[in-house]
Every structure is written in structure tokens, then in C-alpha cells.
């Protein structure tokens, strides 16, 4: 079914000027960018967005990283967009990511892994709402 998912092009990627190359990967996979903005996340936004991870040992490092440089937040639309996006991103750890995936080609480490993508329909809906109002999404 036609789905929407939420994506972040992370600081390690914006810093290395890889935004366009990453968006090209999404588009080649059949995903359409239906909303997009470049933002510099506040600490409050990053802590709120990643609240589910707040007990993890890497939480502080994750938040510091996500506010270290601008990011590009996007809504991607397509057939089975959530799974399709996860496939094109590759495994969280770039050392385990398949050939041709974004993380295999661009990610530096498990933390500096170039992209975030929603993992399920419920989280996709929540994450989209966290950064976008309905009128900013143009399908
Ligand atoms: P993301 O999909 O953005 O959601 C949580 C993030 O935590 C994940 O991608 C990783 O980039 C990051 N992460 C997971 N495990 C580690 C780790 N061991 N050290 C640092 N960051 C991590």
C-alpha cells in the first residue's frame, strides 16, 4: 500500500555535502520526497525525538551528535515506503550494511550512520508529526 515514512539525513552526511546523493538513492528506490526541510535541531528537539532511547548508554552521545550540524528532515512516500526506505538505508551498523545501501556507501560508524528512518507505521506517523504540520506535506 501507499505509505509515508519519516527520514533524517544526519549531521555526518550534511557536513560532507552528501544530501543530494542520499536523496538520489531514495528516488532511485521509488520513494518520493513529499516534504523536506533543513534544520539545526535544538537539544530539546533531539531529546524529545529520541526519548525512547533515553536509558541507553549512547543517549548523550546520540543527542550531542544530532545537534552538532544541520540535518534534513523529510517525509518519503511510496509503495511500502517504510520497508523500502529501510532497505535502501541498510543495516544500522555500516559494517553490516549490504552493498549499494546508503549506510554501506556513506556511513562512518553505528552512531554517525548518515540517515534515520522510521521502523513501523505507528512510529512513522509520530515522527512525521514531530517535525511537520499537515500543510507542509505536499503529495
Ligand atoms: P537511529 O535510527 O537514528 O535511531 C537511534 C540511533 O542510535 C541509531 O540510529 C544509531 O545511529 C544510534 N546508535 C545505535 N547504537 C549506537 C551505539 N552503540 N553508539 C552510538 N549510537 C548508536
Amino acid at each position: 500500500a501507499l505509505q509515508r515514512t519519516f527520514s533524517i539525513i544526519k549531521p555526518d552526511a550534511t557536513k560532507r555535502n552528501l544530501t543530494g546523493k542520499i536523496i538520489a538513492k531514495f528516488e532511485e528506490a521509488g520513494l518520493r520526497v513529499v516534504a523536506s526541510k533543513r534544520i539545526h535541531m535544538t537539544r530539546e528537539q533531539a531529546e524529545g525525538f529520541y526519548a525512547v532511547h533515553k536509558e541507553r548508554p549512547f543517549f548523550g552521545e546520540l543527542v550531542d551528535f544530532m545537534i552538532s550540524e544541520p540535518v534534513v528532515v523529510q517525509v518519503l512516500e511510496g509503495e511500502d515506503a517504510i520497508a523500502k526506505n529501510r532497505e535502501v538505508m541498510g543495516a544500522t551498523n555500516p559494517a553490516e550494511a549490504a552493498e549499494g545501501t546508503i549506510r554501506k556507501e556513506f556511513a562512518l560508524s553505528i552512531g554517525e550512520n548518515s540517515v534515520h528512518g522510521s521502523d513501523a507505521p505507528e512510529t512513522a506517523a509520530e515522527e512525521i508529526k514531530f517535525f511537520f504540520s499537515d500543510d507542509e506535506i505536499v503529495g
Side-chain angles (χ1 to χ4, degrees), residues 10 50 53 58 61-62 92 103 110-113 115-117:
K10 294 188 181 186
Y50 282 120
H53 296 305
F58 58 80
E61 185 189 322
L62 174 60
T92 303
R103 285 165 171 160
I110 193 164
E112 297 190 310
N113 66 352
V115 280
H116 163 83

Side-chain angles (χ1 to χ4, degrees), residues 9-39:
I9 301 177
K10 294 188 181 186
D12 67 281
T14 61
K15 188 176 187 174
R16 288 177 290 148
N17 212 20
L18 294 170
T19 301
K21 285 190 171 146
I22 290 174
I23 294 171
K25 290 277 197 191
F26 295 147
E27 292 184 339
E28 282 161 16
L31 296 164
R32 305 180 70 85
V33 179
V34 296
S36 183
K37 56 191 173 191
R38 180 173 167 102
I39 60 170

